[in-house]
Amino acid sequence: MSTNNYILRKYVSGSVYDLENLAKRQINCVAPKLFNDPVDTYFYYSDDNCFSESKKILTPQIMDSIRISCFINHKNILKKRNKDKLTAEEILMWTHYANSHKGLCFEYQVAADKFDYLDRNSFNENKTFLSRIYYQQDLATDFESVFSKSEDEVYTEDNFEELLKTCFFTKDKSFEYENEMRLLKYTKNLEKDYLPINFDYLKRIVFGKRCD
């Protein structure tokens, strides 16, 4: 297996909707406003006074156009494996995201250079951006202080990627066990919060212990 490949996992409940996506070899990217954690993608919910300079670049129109799909960077978890025994991280993933082990896990193998660098000058539907999550201590309990540290940074088109990472690829350190990666996509259709995209990199399907 090439070291230049990502092994990405997506744990799902196994619903008809999940199976339809599997049959079509596609995944769904969702609007950040639908995320369960209100601190996740905090920038999306912040008021006009927070990140005021950054918002001149990451405008409301751009924010409303962003759709995200979440994965687990399974290669990092495999490093902790003791033979074929599941790690604690994997058990938690099955419990939280795969309907208490009743669901499925779709595993994808993707070339690390498959997804383009995303910058503001070429922000369109043909561009995608894949990045790991950056975990911050105390983000969940003191998010204003954590994010205020970025106020002194000056964002331009040249470091637009860094601005995206700060706003959409940052979570509290308590979630670090997930080894999460996110695929960011842009859409012109602001009426739909879900964006299905082709993702034909399926390597295997893993069934939960309680899967019917």
Side-chain angles (χ1 to χ4, degrees):
M1 181 184 303
S2 171
T3 56
N4 294 324
N5 287 338
Y6 289 121
I7 300 177
L8 303 178
R9 281 193 163 191
K10 184 176 285 293
Y11 292 83
V12 299
S13 65
S15 65
V16 172
Y17 177 75
D18 294 325
L19 298 179
E20 287 177 348
N21 276 338
L22 172 65
K24 296 176 182 178
R25 293 298 191 270
Q26 68 182 23
I27 59 173
N28 238 7
C29 300
V30 304
K33 64 183 179 182
L34 298 183
F35 284 7
N36 292 330
D37 184 359
V39 178
D40 194 354
T41 64
Y42 168 71
F43 183 77
Y44 195 94
Y45 297 95
S46 59
D47 59 36
D48 292 336
N49 296 322
C50 185
F51 285 85
S52 56
E53 293 302 314
S54 303
K55 282 197 170 185
K56 294 177 182 178
I57 300 174
L58 198 56
T59 63
Q61 182 178 2
I62 289 180
M63 288 193 296
D64 288 338
S65 302
I66 286 176
R67 300 294 179 267
I68 292 175
S69 189
C70 302
F71 301 90
I72 302 303
N73 186 354
H74 193 60
K75 186 177 286 188
N76 284 355
I77 293 179
L78 284 176
K79 296 175 182 177
K80 303 179 181 180
R81 274 275 189 94
N82 182 8
K83 296 183 178 179
D84 291 330
K85 188 175 181 180
L86 292 181
T87 66
E89 292 88 345
E90 289 175 292
I91 293 173
L92 286 172
M93 241 78 73
W94 280 108
T95 302
H96 294 161
Y97 302 118
N99 194 18
S100 299
H101 298 257
K102 299 174 186 176
L104 306 167
C105 173
F106 301 146
E107 184 174 296
Y108 305 93
Q109 184 170 315
V110 184
D113 60 355
K114 174 64 181 176
F115 299 101
D116 297 315
Y117 170 83
L118 182 64
D119 61 77
R120 191 186 184 197
N121 292 327
S122 56
F123 204 61
N124 58 63
E125 289 181 295
N126 295 322
K127 304 291 279 188
T128 52
F129 177 58
L130 181 69
S131 176
R132 69 180 180 88
I133 289 292
Y134 296 82
Y135 297 97
Q136 294 272 4
Q137 188 71 40
D138 300 324
L139 179 62
T141 56
D142 193 19
F143 55 85
E144 290 183 351
S145 295
V146 172
F147 275 96
S148 67
K149 295 177 183 178
S150 298
E151 286 284 4
D152 295 332
E153 297 187 35
V154 178
Y155 293 106
T156 67
E157 283 84 353
D158 294 332
N159 60 4
F160 184 63
E161 179 179 338
E162 294 304 315
L163 176 57
L164 285 175
K165 288 179 180 179
T166 300
C167 300
F168 295 101
F169 294 84
T170 306
K171 293 181 71 172
D172 187 83
K173 198 172 180 63
S174 60
F175 292 101
E176 194 168 17
Y177 72 91
E178 293 181 341
N179 288 277
E180 185 179 341
M181 296 190 73
R182 287 181 177 172
L183 179 70
L184 184 148
K185 188 75 175 173
Y186 171 78
T187 181
K188 294 179 180 178
N189 189 346
L190 304 185
E191 295 181 1
K192 294 185 177 180
D193 292 328
Y194 296 89
L195 175 68
I197 65 171
N198 294 331
F199 203 77
D200 196 10
Y201 307 103
L202 188 69
K203 181 182 178 184
R204 63 173 175 163
I205 303 172
V206 185
F207 294 83
K209 290 180 177 295
R210 297 175 176 172
C211 186
D212 187 350

